[in-house]
């Protein structure tokens, strides 16, 4: 898969609690970045006019920090 052994692919996730945003609106932003590379997703979130992009960007940075640790 993708030129890498399946055992070497890791999936990291992060969740945010108590976000003052509707789940439907947050899902729109999450669908925008799902499946993209981290640098590309950060760029999209940085310039997104949606209010839900801020907590999703924080969750993305938390997942990246977890992956590097």
């Amino acid at each position: 898969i993708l030129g890498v052994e399946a055992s070497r692919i890791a999936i990291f996730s992060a969740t945010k609690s108590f976000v003052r945003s509707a789940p439907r609106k947050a899902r729109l932003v999450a669908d925008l970045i799902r499946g993209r590379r981290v640098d590309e997703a950060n760029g999209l979130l940085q310039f997104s006019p949606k209010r839900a992009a801020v907590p999703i960007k924080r969750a993305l940075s938390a997942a990246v920090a977890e992956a590097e640790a």
Side-chain angles (χ1 to χ4, degrees):
I1 302 173
L2 303 172
V4 180
E5 297 176 20
S7 62
R8 295 189 47 89
I9 296 176
I11 298 174
F12 295 93
S13 66
T15 58
K16 290 291 281 184
S17 299
F18 307 109
V19 176
R20 293 181 54 113
S21 177
R24 185 175 181 177
K25 293 180 180 180
R27 196 174 304 116
L28 287 172
V29 179
D31 290 342
L32 181 68
I33 66 165
R34 186 172 290 129
R36 299 187 185 264
R37 295 189 324 264
V38 175
D39 56 345
E40 188 178 354
N42 268 331
L44 286 172
L45 290 173
Q46 183 176 359
F47 296 108
S48 175
K50 301 281 187 184
R51 180 179 170 185
V54 175
I56 291 179
K57 186 172 181 181
R58 288 186 188 141
L60 178 65
S61 64
V64 169
E66 178 187 343
E68 290 175 350

